[in-house]
Amino acid sequence: MGKTRRVGRTYRSMAAAVVCGAALTALTAVPAQARDTAHRAPHWELKDSGAADVRFRGLSAVSRNTAWVAGTAGTVLRTTDGGANWRNVSPPGTADLQFRDIEAFDARRAVVLAIGEGEASRVYRTEDAGATWTESFRNTDAHAFYDCMTFFDSRHGLAMSDPVDGKFRILSTGDGGRSWTVLPSAGMPAALDGEAGFAASGQCLVSSGPRDVWLATGGGARARVLHSADRGLTWTATDTPIPAGDPARGVFALAFRDRTHGLAVGGDYNADQPSPLAAAVTGDGGRTWRPATTPPPAYRSGAAWLPRSRGTALAVGPTGTDVTTDAGRTWKTVDTGSYDTVDCAADLGCWAAGEKGRVARLED
């Protein structure tokens, strides 16, 4: 699943995580000229998705072999051979929709979110590797605009909408996405004027463990992170140091390696605007956030921890990929390719996706 990790922690995958984390640490310390000749420096290897006209902002890494991507023109692709081949498994009749988030439980089961005002916000579910899809939710409120979703496990999940009647709206499922219910808003703090989520990478709503979930915001006077410890019934809001105050600025993506340690990335998505303080870190579950000492140099829209790593994570955006090996305090750019979202599976299968059909897997 895109924001929750699967079980099966084998010794081999744990060893791989240590090796790759060490390699990324070395990569950030070695001069660029030396890296050019390094034999095993981790790097993104582009895969031919066959969809150069699609922008993929939805991504779910199941393993090194299996991944799902979702994007514009109602497109959903799936690979089970490490990206060598991609199968178009798009739901029929969705060419006018914009898929911005996808959560896959395995190679056969996935839930995909379409974003937009009113009935453009929908959820589809497949249990047969995309051979057939069922529309399990269609928004009927003209004021709602759903941005992201997350799953705690294969049954329990949430989706979030921009504020309706002054509060973010939360949609809940307890049956793996087959049915959805709008949760009561009594436990949700009031939204700031102009505050909303960013449907940029499927990471404005993320979870860790069985009950904790975080929601990222921007557009208002302050960029905030909201946290719930009861699967979305009650929330607390905390300001972050990431600049806001404009509809294009705020926190675009969150990543938590457990219920305590998290990362926030964002900035200003306008290409002609700088994004100082584009990353922040928390060590107390989001109650407080500190700015990164050395943040990424530009706007970043996606982030992911390497599985079972205490300090190594990736951040991606249209101008490059950054790596931290000290839990988000400092970041170093290691690639200049354009990606919107990133996700890592339990076996250390890390994938990135973005514009012009770009999909890549992290190789060592």
Side-chain angles (χ1 to χ4, degrees):
M1 292 170 285
K3 316 322 176 272
T4 56
R5 299 279 67 90
R6 285 154 291 275
V7 296
R9 300 184 177 183
T10 64
Y11 175 82
R12 181 178 179 181
S13 63
M14 292 177 68
V18 172
V19 171
C20 189
L24 284 169
T25 302
L27 179 62
T28 62
V30 175
Q33 185 176 3
R35 288 203 303 270
D36 291 341
T37 59
H39 178 61
R40 293 180 61 82
H43 62 280
W44 290 121
E45 182 177 286
L46 280 170
K47 309 294 182 179
D48 184 6
S49 69
D53 57 340
V54 176
R55 186 164 194 165
F56 292 117
R57 293 185 184 269
L59 167 65
S60 188
V62 176
S63 68
R64 282 187 57 80
N65 289 326
T66 301
W68 301 65
V69 291
T72 54
T75 305
V76 178
L77 305 184
R78 167 182 167 272
T79 182
T80 57
D81 58 10
N85 296 282
W86 294 86
R87 181 180 177 187
N88 189 330
V89 294
S90 305
T94 62
D96 293 333
L97 299 181
Q98 306 290 316
F99 289 135
R100 295 292 181 93
D101 199 355
I102 187 165
E103 301 288 336
F105 308 113
D106 50 42
R108 296 184 60 81
R109 298 176 298 157
V111 181
V112 64
L113 173 71
I115 62 99
E117 296 178 347
E119 294 192 0
S121 285
R122 306 179 195 178
V123 177
Y124 294 84
R125 186 180 189 277
T126 183
E127 294 182 329
D128 54 13
T132 61
W133 293 84
T134 301
E135 180 185 304
S136 59
F137 172 77
R138 181 179 297 209
N139 174 49
T140 57
D141 190 329
H143 301 289
F145 186 117
Y146 285 85
D147 298 293
C148 297
M149 64 180 175
T150 188
F151 275 80
F152 304 95
D153 51 45
S154 62
R155 293 183 59 81
H156 301 92
L158 302 176
M160 59 79 70
S161 164
D162 289 339
V164 177
D165 296 328
K167 293 184 177 182
F168 285 95
R169 175 169 289 181
I170 303 298
L171 198 63
S172 175
T173 180
D175 54 14
R178 294 180 181 86
S179 62
W180 296 84
T181 303
V182 174
L183 293 181
S185 63
M188 175 66 71
L192 304 176
D193 289 344
E195 191 175 29
F198 292 108
S201 60
Q203 296 175 326
C204 60
L205 186 71
V206 303
S207 57
S208 181
R211 305 188 69 82
D212 287 274
V213 59
W214 296 264
L215 187 161
T217 82
R222 305 181 303 280
R224 304 194 295 174
V225 172
L226 281 63
H227 171 239
S228 170
D230 55 11
R231 291 184 180 169
L233 292 176
T234 60
W235 298 78
T236 56
T238 302
D239 293 350
T240 76
I242 294 177
D246 184 274
R249 298 178 195 154
V251 178
F252 280 72
L254 298 168
F256 276 77
R257 67 173 172 85
D258 53 37
R259 68 188 307 267
T260 302
H261 301 89
L263 307 169
V265 299
D268 189 322
Y269 69 70
N270 289 312
D272 61 345
Q273 295 297 314
S275 291
L277 302 176
V281 60
T282 181
D284 56 13
R287 289 191 293 272
T288 60
W289 291 87
R290 305 181 306 278
T293 304
T294 306
Y299 156 71
R300 295 294 182 252
S301 54
W305 290 90
L306 267 68
R308 289 175 294 283
S309 170
R310 297 182 62 85
T312 304
L314 301 164
V316 300
T319 61
T321 297
D322 305 286
V323 171
T324 178
T325 56
D326 56 12
R329 290 186 291 275
T330 62
W331 295 84
K332 186 175 182 63
T333 302
V334 295
D335 185 270
T336 57
S338 176
Y339 298 103
D340 292 313
T341 187
V342 60
D343 191 29
C344 294
D347 67 350
L348 210 66
C350 291
W351 297 78
E355 63 180 346
K356 299 179 181 178
R358 288 170 59 89
V359 183
R361 189 178 69 177
L362 191 67
E363 305 288 352
D364 59 6

